[in-house]
Amino acid sequence: MAGSPLLLKSKVFALDIIRVCNEIKQSKRESVLTNQLIRSGTSIGANIREAFYAHGKADFIAKLQIALKECSESEYWLELLLESGYYSDKAILDKCIEVKRILIASINTAKGNDVK
């Protein structure tokens, strides 16, 4: 589990989200969007970590699907922050999309894998 690229990237993403949200809150005094983003952005890694302790294949897939939903929500909040001018560094959105792609690939692999 410790060496999982998905787990590592989601944790780095969560830490980046915390920094971005704190920066926006301090400089732009915006809190509604950033509060939503911090919840969804940090939830991704939490759900991935839960997946590693799933009670079986179906539970594992379900946890990854929840993480994917949270990732998609984070992508939406990031798009709003970027397009509204509250934040300008698109790199955070690119990281979100990268995590989303890995999640999709992991879910597809797990669904196709008959090993329990």
Side-chain angles (χ1 to χ4, degrees), residues 78-112:
L78 286 168
E79 287 171 353
L80 288 180
L81 287 167
L82 290 163
E83 292 173 24
S84 66
Y86 278 112
Y87 197 70
S88 60
D89 188 354
K90 189 182 174 295
I92 190 72
L93 180 60
D94 294 338
K95 288 181 181 182
C96 184
I97 292 168
E98 179 184 8
V99 170
K100 183 174 77 170
R101 287 182 178 144
I102 297 170
L103 271 167
I104 291 168
S106 298
I107 291 167
N108 288 337
T109 299
K111 283 181 177 180

Side-chain angles (χ1 to χ4, degrees), residues 6 57 60-61 64-65 101-116:
L6 180 56
K57 182 177 172 180
F60 177 77
I61 292 168
L64 289 185
Q65 287 174 326
R101 287 182 178 144
I102 297 170
L103 271 167
I104 291 168
S106 298
I107 291 167
N108 288 337
T109 299
K111 283 181 177 180
N113 219 348
D114 289 331
V115 179
K116 294 182 182 179

Side-chain angles (χ1 to χ4, degrees), residues 21-106:
C21 289
N22 284 336
E23 180 184 325
I24 293 169
K25 283 181 180 182
Q26 289 175 1
S27 66
K28 303 285 187 178
R29 303 277 187 237
E30 197 297 315
S31 62
V32 175
L33 297 175
T34 52
N35 286 342
Q36 292 291 335
L37 176 58
I38 209 158
R39 283 186 195 98
S40 62
T42 56
S43 177
I44 299 164
N47 280 290
I48 292 167
R49 186 170 283 201
E50 268 190 70
F52 281 93
Y53 294 97
H55 295 289
K57 182 177 172 180
D59 189 33
F60 177 77
I61 292 168
K63 297 293 185 209
L64 289 185
Q65 287 174 326
I66 292 168
L68 179 58
K69 289 177 182 181
E70 295 293 334
C71 193
S72 180
E73 181 181 338
S74 298
E75 184 179 8
Y76 175 75
W77 297 124
L78 286 168
E79 287 171 353
L80 288 180
L81 287 167
L82 290 163
E83 292 173 24
S84 66
Y86 278 112
Y87 197 70
S88 60
D89 188 354
K90 189 182 174 295
I92 190 72
L93 180 60
D94 294 338
K95 288 181 181 182
C96 184
I97 292 168
E98 179 184 8
V99 170
K100 183 174 77 170
R101 287 182 178 144
I102 297 170
L103 271 167
I104 291 168
S106 298

